[in-house]
Amino acid sequence: SCLVAFFADAVAGNAPMQYIKKLQKETNCSVVQTKQLSMKPDDSMRVFYTERYNDEVVKGDVIGMEVNGDNVLDLSKQLLENCCRDYLYYLSDSASAGNQDIDAFFNFNDVGMGGL
């Protein structure tokens, strides 16, 4: 499994749907779950472990998806480079990182929500 995340510009450009359509058409991999959420730069650091996406998360919601299947990382990398190269996206570095990434993204709680 791996995490694929798209940021505001990619979402506006319909990159997530392009990726899913190519994934379904060209591979045996599948999207297990998706989530759309709002993040701040410090949230981005907790989920993606880098400052690279800090400027992107403030532009709008992030869409993340858990993708599963044989050779999912290599196939996803090829698909993303072909259909989404004009946009910034996140792809797990390895299978072991994928599980950690998925947990971090899908168990993310916006601590700014709720009662203080």
Side-chain angles (χ1 to χ4, degrees):
S1 291
C2 69
L3 175 68
V4 178
F6 295 95
F7 301 91
D9 291 344
V11 172
N14 206 29
M17 285 308 300
Q18 292 174 34
Y19 168 75
I20 290 171
K21 286 178 183 176
K22 283 193 169 287
L23 185 77
Q24 291 172 336
K25 184 178 178 182
E26 300 177 20
T27 76
N28 289 324
C29 299
S30 60
V31 175
V32 177
Q33 61 180 329
T34 63
K35 185 175 184 179
Q36 182 170 343
L37 49 87
S38 176
M39 300 176 97
K40 296 179 178 135
D42 57 330
D43 302 326
S44 176
M45 286 291 297
R46 282 198 313 270
V47 172
F48 302 116
Y49 311 104
T50 178
E51 294 178 358
R52 179 176 184 200
Y53 307 102
N54 287 5
D55 291 340
E56 293 300 313
V57 298
V58 297
K59 294 179 183 177
D61 287 354
V62 179
I63 293 180
M65 51 188 78
E66 176 183 354
V67 185
N68 208 342
D70 293 335
N71 206 19
V72 67
L73 282 172
D74 289 337
L75 292 170
S76 287
K77 185 176 182 179
Q78 291 171 10
L79 291 177
L80 289 163
E81 287 173 354
N82 288 333
C83 75
C84 305
R85 67 179 161 267
D86 295 335
Y87 303 106
L88 184 63
Y89 55 82
Y90 175 86
L91 173 65
S92 298
D93 291 332
S94 66
S96 58
N99 292 328
Q100 185 177 353
D101 293 345
I102 290 162
D103 286 344
F105 190 86
F106 286 94
N107 295 322
F108 172 83
N109 282 328
D110 184 349
V111 293
M113 300 292 285
L116 282 179

